[in-house]
Amino acid sequence: MSKTFCCIVAVCENGGIGIKGDLPWKLKQELKYFSRTTKKVNNADKRNAVIMGRKTYFGVPESKRPLPERLNIVLTRNAATHTFPSDVLVCGSLKEALLKLDSTDYGNDIENIWVVGGNSVYKEAMESDRCHRVYYTEIKKQFDCDAFFPEMPKSFVVVDNDPDIPSDVQEENGIQYVYKIYENKQH
């Protein structure tokens, strides 16, 4: 059976998610939330998969990639022009990555699938009927960005946060943000 997946993203007031392959803000607690959320499993024998574009992968500091304790799947149309560690699965599209998780041994120990960026991968994800939720950090400030989150489809509505996710306003380095969850009501 085909698993659904979730997206996780931090978006500032002008829809931006990144600049020059990096995050435009420095929010340690928000990064810890990302890490904790994308690693969380109910079955200790399983792990999660994180799907990202090539620019997002190389935007992660070299000492922190591949992202630990998760199957890293990198989407690129030019795999031959880049070198990836042997434990990173490289695919040409989100569709191909999901098919590999559905139909090969790669998916055997995967509990949850997370799409973690960048903008073209999010766009493809939001158009997929397998996109179940978007874990959306709303950053209450504008930043100069060159990568943006696509428009949220109308089928996605805000739902209550998971019990372990704070609902109140967070603040770090003078920047306020709120964790939200959008769920696709077409499921």
Side-chain angles (χ1 to χ4, degrees):
M1 180 177 133
S2 300
K3 282 185 182 165
T4 60
F5 63 83
C6 294
C7 295
I8 186 166
V9 64
V11 184
C12 63
E13 286 179 342
N14 49 323
I17 59 172
I19 185 155
K20 296 183 177 120
D22 202 357
L23 296 173
W25 46 77
K26 299 284 179 251
L27 300 170
K28 275 196 170 139
Q29 293 308 311
E30 207 283 328
L31 282 174
K32 285 181 181 173
Y33 162 79
F34 168 89
S35 180
R36 190 174 60 248
T37 303
T38 59
K39 286 180 185 175
K40 186 172 53 181
V41 291
N42 292 322
N43 179 343
D45 295 331
K46 295 196 176 247
R47 63 183 177 154
N48 294 333
V50 286
I51 302 174
M52 68 198 87
R54 174 188 50 80
K55 289 179 193 166
T56 299
Y57 177 79
F58 285 113
V60 174
E62 198 169 346
S63 64
K64 296 192 176 9
R65 68 175 190 247
L67 296 175
E69 300 171 44
R70 292 154 282 186
L71 171 63
N72 285 231
I73 303 173
V74 177
L75 307 183
T76 179
R77 293 184 222 31
N78 301 315
T81 59
H82 302 283
T83 306
F84 296 95
S86 60
D87 57 345
V88 170
L89 178 60
V90 179
C91 297
S93 67
L94 178 60
K95 193 173 186 176
E96 180 189 335
L98 294 171
L99 183 64
K100 280 196 175 169
L101 289 173
D102 289 344
S103 62
T104 69
D105 289 345
Y106 282 110
N108 290 350
D109 71 337
I110 299 301
E111 184 169 302
N112 301 298
I113 304 167
W114 291 94
V115 170
V116 301
N119 57 335
S120 62
V121 180
Y122 285 133
K123 185 175 184 333
E124 190 178 353
M126 300 302 290
E127 292 167 356
S128 169
D129 58 2
R130 290 175 62 174
C131 185
H132 173 59
R133 283 181 154 189
V134 178
Y135 285 70
Y136 188 100
T137 302
E138 183 179 285
I139 297 182
K140 301 194 167 290
K141 190 173 178 179
Q142 289 200 18
F143 287 87
D144 188 23
C145 294
D146 59 13
F148 297 88
F149 193 71
E151 189 174 327
M152 190 76 69
K154 294 195 182 344
S155 60
F156 284 81
V157 297
V158 175
V159 295
D160 289 342
N161 282 357
D162 295 345
D164 61 336
I165 299 174
S167 297
D168 54 332
V169 175
Q170 308 295 302
E171 187 166 338
E172 204 177 332
N173 299 333
I175 301 167
Q176 292 188 330
Y177 55 95
V178 178
Y179 300 120
K180 293 184 172 183
I181 299 174
Y182 288 84
E183 193 167 279
N184 189 347
K185 289 305 178 185
Q186 290 182 334
H187 283 187

